[in-house]
C-alpha cells in the first residue's frame, strides 16, 4: 500500500491562501508590514455596540424632585456599576452632576446644547449623533452606554441595540420619566427577578423585534 506523505506547512499555507489573498487585496500597504498592522486596522474599523441602561417604575418614573432615583436599591447600583465599568458613558449634564463627576474606569461624554460648554474631566458633545461619533473614535473595546436623563434616552432610543432595564414593580411619584420602550424593544433576551425589603424588581435585557 503506497504511503501518503503529509506536509503540514504546505497544507496550512494552502488553507490560509484565500484569507491571505483577501487581506493582501484589501490592505496592500499594511500587508508588507506584517499581519499585526492588518489585525490592528480590522480592530479599529469595528464598531462598538450601543446599549441603553436604565431603571424605572411601572409608571416609568426615573427621577424624583431634587434629583436622584425615586428609590435606593443596592443590588441595582451594583448591577449598573458592573455593566458600565470599562465602557463609555453618554449622559446629560444633570446626570453628570448628580453622579458627582465622571464615573471611575469609564470614559464619559456629557451632552449639552451649549457649544461653549466644556469640562476638564470629561468629553462634551452638543448632540447624540456627535457623541456617538466621538465614542466610536475613542480607544478601548467597551460598549457605549446611554445613561440618561429623559431627553438623552429619547435621542438614543433609535440608536441602541439593546436595553438593559431594571423594572421596579411599583408606581412612584417622579419628575422625570423614561420613554415608552415597548414598541422598540419587544424581545426579551434575559430576565432575572429579585427583591429587597422595599421593592420587587427584574433585571431585563431587551432587544429589537424583527
Amino acid at each position: 500500500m503506497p504511503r501518503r506523505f503529509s506536509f503540514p506547512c504546505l497544507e496550512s499555507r494552502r488553507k490560509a491562501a484565500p484569507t491571505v489573498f483577501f487581506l493582501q487585496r484589501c490592505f496592500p500597504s499594511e500587508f508588507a508590514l506584517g499581519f499585526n498592522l492588518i489585525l490592528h486596522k480590522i480592530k479599529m474599523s469595528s464598531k462598538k455596540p450601543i446599549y441603553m441602561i436604565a431603571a424605572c417604575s411601572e409608571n416609568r418614573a426615573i427621577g424624583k424632585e431634587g434629583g436622584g432615583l425615586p428609590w435606593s436599591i443596592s443590588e441595582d447600583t451594583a448591577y449598573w456599576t458592573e455593566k458600565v465599568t470599562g465602557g463609555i458613558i453618554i449622559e446629560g449634564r444633570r446626570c453628570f452632576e448628580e453622579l458627582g463627576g465622571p464615573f471611575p474606569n469609564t470614559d464619559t461624554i456629557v451632552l449639552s446644547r451649549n457649544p461653549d460648554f466644556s469640562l476638564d474631566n470629561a468629553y462634551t458633545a452638543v448632540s447624540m449623533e456627535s457623541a456617538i461619533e466621538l465614542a466610536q473614535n475613542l480607544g478601548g473595546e467597551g460598549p457605549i452606554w446611554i445613561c440618561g436623563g429623559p431627553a438623552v434616552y429619547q435621542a438614543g432610543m433609535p440608536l441602541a441595540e439593546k436595553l438593559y432595564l431594571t423594572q421596579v414593580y411599583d408606581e412612584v411619584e417622579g419628575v422625570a420619566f423614561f420613554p415608552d420602550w415597548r414598541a422598540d424593544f419587544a424581545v426579551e433576551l434575559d430576565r432575572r427577578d429579585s427583591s429587597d425589603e422595599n421593592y420587587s424588581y427584574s433585571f431585563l435585557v431587551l432587544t429589537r423585534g424583527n
Side-chain angles (χ1 to χ4, degrees), residues 161-173:
E161 303 165 30
K162 294 179 184 177
L163 169 60
Y164 288 73
L165 181 68
T166 303
Q167 177 71 78
V168 180
Y169 298 114
D170 196 2
E171 292 199 2
V172 301
E173 292 186 5

Side-chain angles (χ1 to χ4, degrees), residues 23 27 34-45:
L23 293 172
F27 305 101
F35 281 101
N36 285 338
L37 278 178
I38 298 171
L39 294 175
H40 176 71
K41 185 162 185 175
I42 293 172
K43 184 177 179 180
M44 292 301 292
S45 66

Side-chain angles (χ1 to χ4, degrees), residues 63-68 94 98 175:
K64 65 181 181 180
E65 187 72 40
R94 182 172 180 179
E98 288 178 0
V175 296

Side-chain angles (χ1 to χ4, degrees), residues 65 82 107:
E65 187 72 40
E82 176 194 353
D107 286 314

Side-chain angles (χ1 to χ4, degrees), residues 42-64:
I42 293 172
K43 184 177 179 180
M44 292 301 292
S45 66
S46 62
K47 296 293 185 181
K48 300 180 183 74
I50 303 170
Y51 303 146
M52 286 202 303
I53 187 166
C56 75
S57 64
E58 289 180 294
N59 58 323
R60 296 189 284 110
I62 60 173
K64 65 181 181 180

